[in-house]
Amino acid sequence: MMQESARETISNSSMSQNGMSTLSSSQLEAGSRDGRSSAGDMSSEVSTVELLHLQQQQALQAARQLLLQQPGSGLKSPKSRDKQRPLQVPVSVAMMSPQVITPQQMQQILQQQVLSPQQLQALLQQQQAVMLQQVRTLALTLNPSHLHTCPYEEQQQQQQQLAAQQLVFQQQLLQMQQLQQQQHLLNMQRQGLLSLPGPAPGQAALPGQTLPQPAGLSPAELQQLWKDVTGGGGHAMEDNGIKHSNSGSGTGGGGASPPISHHSIANGQSPALNHRRERERERERDSLHEECGGTHPLYGHGVCKWPGCENICEDFGQFLKHLNSEHALDDRSTAQCRVQMQVVQQLEIQLSKERERLQAMMAHLHMRPSEPKSSPKPLNLVSSVTMSKNLPSASPPNLPQTPTTPTAPITPMAAMPQVPSILGGANVPSMGAMRRRHSDKYSMPLSSEIAPNYEFYKNADVRPPFTYATLIRQAIMDSADMQLTLNEIYSWFTRTFAYFRRNAATWKNAVRHNLSLHKCFVRVENVKGAVWTVDEMEYQKRRSQKITGSPSLVKNLPSSLGYGSALNASLQAALAETSLPLLGTPGLMNSGSTGPMGGSCHGLLGGDPSILTGLSPPGMLGGSPHGLLGGSPPTMMHSAHDGFNGSLDHLDTNGHSSPGYSPPVHMPIYVKEEPLNMDEDDCPMSLVTTANHSPELDDDRELEEGNLSEDLE
DNA sequence: GTACTCGTAAACACAC
DNA sequence: GGTGTGTTTACGAGTA
């Protein structure tokens, strides 16, 4: 019963350390008796420090009374205590504060466990506070001005007192640290957390065991602590990880790692709370280890980064708990996730636009017409710098370093349409499906790709990122009369690509193989022998089938943007905004305003055609954006015609008009059966290309696509 | 795992 | 017979 009341008293006094409670007259009297308050003679008012000190005294008095009432506590009555004190405490200290519990008393308190952990904690804090205050008071009395006015003997005496007090302070500090450790262990024992024998790693020894050397505080540290205290720093104790001075918060865990596990001190909280705090701190320590290995993207700076949450989580474990509890899989989280997805999409669009702008700027700066032979070179800055067109073995591995968009993962093969043959060539023999995919499926226009990089392909031993079929078709379309003999095709290959100047047997065989294999290549008996032409219809059918085979055009769209072209990304963004995937391109192209440079920058146009190939369905691509290209820049027109009927011969590789342009010649004389499953009946055309149009309907198709493009404007 | 595309190699036939 | 041309088959790699 009385123990209860005593606990209450201590608890209240502990809580009142912040000076919130009022002081009774007796307390004030007690405060004025201790002599320490004489330092307040300088001021008639009771300072905050004095009030605090009085509160501590009150708490200590209550504790002592409680101890006295405990049978066998060993503590004497106030009278006997007063008699004992001079024997236990140096005289110089005795004048400071009779309320300071001696180490022996503390030990008794601890051993007999007459106080609850909270009470012990409060007691320790108060002891610390009292001692700190005493030190400060002493320091005040020894300030330089005071010393200056005192006689030498007084100074000597005061210095001795100071030294003695320092020694006592250090001793008491050590004692308190030991007590704190013991109390912590007691708490753990009571809570069943600590199993005997042997302390847990990093923890102090058991009460009965020999404590480690003064709680790990070396004399130097103690000296530093003393300096800090005498320096008057309010947070002096914190520097050593001890925050129990006056704040009362005592949460511990300062910057410097404390020599003792004082952080486990409960600060007058319930054992359960202490336990929880202990576990949290352990988790915190664990989280520190976790943070070394990796961090959660939704957690940072102690705050949950879930959109709209910003819940404060002390440690990673708490965050995980919070994440699992507050952001579990439910409708709300799902909705928030969707919102976040939209946010990301918008940001990606914005990023694409900015990247596109950067690309255009780079293209503009590196594709100057004044550069005689560099104009066809890649627009890519890196490639422009690293690649030497005069080196047949120009190594392309440096090329695919163009920035990529999150939504359009760049492919190592055709990272950029402007960048010729990023891979391949002798240096990269494993040029395979990737190049094929992109070159054909995405209908990358060969001419448009070659045109700006003509010199590059001509001189660099780099394999162009196109299929044989595409190259053959391009060769034929490049000819004046849209037909070539096999030997002329060979010549075109070797003339256009340095890569095909070697391994002739291999690639020539491949050329023949493709000519025979693909139905789109038609062999025509001519006066000068057999020539090869292109059945554009078949060609486009074949391409369109590849595209239509995909799950959705929308899905293909981002993939087609995988070239890494900023323009493509821009168009993707534009299409996303207009919700007109694929169909948006022609209009955008026509508008001439969607390009980063308004569609009028010639240097940029070297890569621009990829927009058509990247976004347009094959049918459109190959088929014919004829009508779309009125007023389009040469290269763009080039690519468009390339897609339409291969009538690229009216344009040279630099995109200039050629008078020898002739309309597409369709001579389906010996139409072979394509080995592929590309029968006309099961060949759904793309959105733009009509499914069953004939070559004679090309004009209609052009009109149709032209209308489409207009609609998209 | 399957189907498809593409490149490559090879075999074969035919014409010059 | 050698060469070029054309056709076909087979296989591996990569992708959807």
Side-chain angles (χ1 to χ4, degrees):
Chain A
M1 188 65 181
M2 299 184 63
Q3 201 168 355
E4 281 291 331
S5 62
R7 285 176 187 170
E8 231 178 320
T9 307
I10 292 179
S11 178
N12 291 338
S13 62
S14 172
M15 291 175 59
S16 63
Q17 285 182 12
N18 55 6
M20 295 296 291
S21 65
T22 57
L23 296 177
S24 62
S25 58
S26 60
Q27 289 167 344
L28 289 174
E29 289 173 4
S32 61
R33 274 200 309 267
D34 63 6
R36 188 191 60 84
S37 62
S38 60
D41 293 341
M42 296 179 292
S43 171
S44 60
E45 297 178 0
V46 179
S47 66
T48 305
V49 173
E50 289 170 342
L51 290 175
L52 185 62
H53 179 64
L54 293 175
Q55 294 170 20
Q56 294 164 351
Q57 288 176 348
Q58 178 195 21
L60 289 173
Q61 288 287 357
R64 287 196 186 95
Q65 290 175 3
L66 174 66
L67 292 174
L68 287 174
Q69 293 162 0
Q70 292 289 331
S73 63
L75 290 180
K76 306 300 180 183
S77 65
K79 285 187 178 179
S80 61
R81 184 196 64 219
D82 291 340
K83 293 176 183 176
Q84 277 186 335
R85 187 181 302 116
L87 302 175
Q88 297 172 346
V89 182
V91 178
S92 58
V93 180
M95 62 174 286
M96 293 169 54
S97 173
Q99 280 75 25
V100 173
I101 300 176
T102 65
Q104 290 79 6
Q105 289 174 333
M106 283 187 177
Q107 193 67 27
Q108 285 179 347
I109 294 172
L110 190 69
Q111 288 175 353
Q112 298 178 11
Q113 301 183 11
V114 295
L115 293 181
S116 67
Q118 299 94 309
Q119 292 169 335
L120 281 173
Q121 176 63 28
L123 197 58
L124 289 172
Q125 291 180 1
Q126 290 157 3
Q127 288 292 301
Q128 282 184 324
V130 168
M131 286 189 295
L132 181 62
Q133 194 58 43
Q134 290 170 353
V135 170
R136 285 177 180 168
T137 305
L138 185 63
L140 273 178
T141 61
L142 297 177
N143 63 67
S145 59
H146 189 203
L147 289 175
H148 199 68
T149 57
C150 291
Y152 177 72
E153 292 77 10
E154 285 186 22
Q155 292 181 15
Q156 288 286 338
Q157 185 179 0
Q158 288 173 350
Q159 286 176 355
Q160 291 173 358
Q161 289 180 357
L162 179 61
Q165 289 173 359
Q166 177 179 355
L167 180 63
V168 171
F169 176 77
Q170 292 177 359
Q171 290 174 351
Q172 293 198 350
L173 190 63
L174 294 177
Q175 186 71 21
M176 288 177 60
Q177 289 170 350
Q178 293 175 358
L179 291 174
Q180 287 171 356
Q181 285 183 319
Q182 293 174 4
Q183 185 202 16
H184 170 59
L185 293 173
L186 281 175
N187 289 337
M188 296 187 68
Q189 286 180 1
R190 290 174 183 175
Q191 296 163 12
L193 293 178
L194 191 62
S195 61
L196 298 173
Q203 290 178 337
L206 291 172
Q209 296 174 323
T210 304
L211 291 174
Q213 173 56 26
L217 268 184
S218 64
E221 291 172 328
L222 289 171
Q223 188 67 24
Q224 180 62 34
L225 178 63
W226 170 254
K227 288 178 182 176
D228 294 336
V229 170
T230 54
H235 303 282
M237 302 295 254
E238 293 181 15
D239 293 339
N240 282 290
I242 302 172
K243 297 176 66 177
H244 309 299
S245 57
N246 291 331
S247 65
S249 59
T251 49
S257 49
I260 333 169
S261 59
H262 59 83
H263 62 276
S264 60
I265 294 174
N267 285 337
Q269 294 175 345
S270 67
L273 208 58
N274 296 337
H275 184 200
R276 193 178 66 183
R277 279 185 167 275
E278 185 67 23
R279 284 165 51 188
E280 288 174 356
R281 291 198 175 95
E282 289 175 359
R283 285 199 300 267
E284 187 177 356
R285 286 193 294 269
D286 295 338
S287 69
L288 290 177
H289 293 293
E290 291 178 8
E291 288 174 0
C292 294
T295 58
H296 199 286
L298 289 174
Y299 180 67
H301 299 91
V303 176
C304 175
K305 291 183 176 179
W306 186 276
C309 179
E310 296 182 355
N311 183 54
I312 298 176
C313 303
E314 291 183 3
D315 54 22
F316 191 75
Q318 186 177 350
F319 160 75
L320 289 178
K321 190 181 298 180
H322 162 76
L323 189 65
N324 292 328
S325 61
E326 299 297 328
H327 307 303
L329 181 59
D330 55 7
D331 294 339
R332 186 171 66 102
S333 298
T334 305
Q336 289 175 333
C337 190
R338 285 179 184 149
V339 171
Q340 183 66 16
M341 287 171 65
Q342 292 180 355
V343 170
V344 171
Q345 284 179 354
Q346 292 298 324
L347 290 175
E348 286 175 348
I349 290 171
Q350 183 64 26
L351 174 63
S352 299
K353 289 178 179 176
E354 295 300 325
R355 183 169 290 154
E356 162 192 2
R357 184 177 305 174
L358 171 64
Q359 192 91 25
M361 294 166 65
M362 293 168 61
H364 172 68
L365 296 175
H366 290 271
M367 291 295 291
R368 295 185 179 280
S370 58
E371 299 177 11
K373 292 212 168 187
S374 61
S375 58
K377 291 176 78 175
L379 297 176
N380 181 273
L381 182 61
V382 177
S383 60
S384 300
V385 173
T386 58
M387 300 189 70
S388 172
K389 66 182 181 63
N390 294 325
L391 294 176
S393 60
S395 179
N398 290 331
L399 289 175
Q401 300 180 6
T402 53
T404 60
T405 59
T407 53
I410 196 169
T411 59
M413 251 339 147
M416 290 181 63
Q418 302 94 326
V419 179
S421 180
I422 291 149
L423 297 179
N427 299 328
V428 186
S430 62
M431 176 107 156
M434 259 202 223
R435 170 178 58 83
R436 298 190 294 260
R437 289 282 178 194
H438 289 288
S439 59
D440 204 50
K441 176 176 180 177
Y442 302 132
S443 307
M444 181 188 292
L446 180 64
S447 62
S448 62
E449 203 279 343
I450 295 174
N453 308 297
Y454 178 79
E455 289 296 327
F456 173 79
Y457 285 124
K458 189 176 179 179
N459 297 296
D461 188 13
V462 176
R463 180 169 189 156
F466 303 100
T467 64
Y468 279 109
T470 306
L471 289 172
I472 294 169
R473 174 182 171 273
Q474 180 61 35
I476 295 173
M477 297 306 179
D478 244 352
S479 64
D481 49 1
M482 302 291 295
Q483 56 185 21
L484 284 179
T485 65
L486 181 64
N487 200 34
E488 288 170 340
I489 294 175
Y490 290 160
S491 298
W492 184 90
F493 269 71
T494 55
R495 184 178 64 250
T496 309
F497 303 100
Y499 174 80
F500 292 117
R501 289 165 199 161
R502 55 183 182 83
N503 298 329
T506 299
W507 65 263
K508 283 182 177 179
N509 182 29
V511 168
R512 293 195 306 270
H513 164 74
N514 278 270
L515 283 172
S516 299
L517 186 68
H518 300 305
K519 197 165 50 177
C520 60
F521 298 120
V522 182
R523 184 172 178 271
V524 180
E525 291 292 342
N526 204 342
V527 290
K528 58 179 180 181
V531 294
W532 289 93
T533 62
V534 176
D535 184 355
E536 195 63 27
M537 274 298 303
E538 292 296 326
Y539 185 80
Q540 298 309 324
K541 273 190 216 172
R542 176 168 160 269
R543 298 168 77 95
S544 63
Q545 255 203 345
K546 293 172 189 171
I547 293 294
T548 53
S550 301
S552 68
L553 292 171
V554 179
K555 182 180 179 180
N556 275 335
L557 180 59
S559 301
S560 66
L561 298 169
Y563 292 111
S565 167
L567 297 172
N568 288 345
S570 170
L571 283 171
Q572 181 190 16
L575 292 174
E577 291 172 355
T578 56
S579 298
L580 289 172
L582 295 178
L583 299 180
T585 306
L588 293 172
M589 297 302 294
N590 253 352
S591 66
S593 61
T594 55
M597 305 298 285
S600 59
C601 177
H602 181 69
L604 181 64
L605 297 174
D608 238 343
S610 63
I611 297 171
L612 288 174
T613 60
L615 291 174
S616 303
M620 169 187 294
L621 212 208
S624 63
H626 236 142
L628 308 176
L629 300 172
S632 297
T635 312
M636 199 179 298
M637 188 184 297
H638 190 178
S639 67
H641 281 279
D642 172 24
F644 169 51
N645 52 17
S647 55
L648 295 166
D649 48 342
H650 70 291
L651 298 171
D652 59 19
T653 53
N654 290 327
H656 302 308
S657 296
S658 169
Y661 168 66
S662 59
V665 178
H666 296 283
M667 298 184 296
I669 303 174
Y670 302 121
V671 177
K672 301 185 294 287
E673 284 300 321
E674 191 101 10
L676 305 172
N677 300 329
M678 296 172 183
D679 299 334
E680 290 78 0
D681 44 357
D682 62 347
C683 172
M685 301 302 283
S686 64
L687 287 176
V688 178
T689 311
T690 55
N692 53 357
H693 78 285
S694 62
E696 293 79 10
L697 296 175
D698 279 344
D699 291 339
D700 296 336
R701 184 176 58 188
E702 295 167 13
L703 290 174
E704 177 184 349
E705 291 164 4
N707 294 334
L708 281 173
S709 65
E710 291 174 1
D711 294 338
L712 293 169
E713 285 184 359

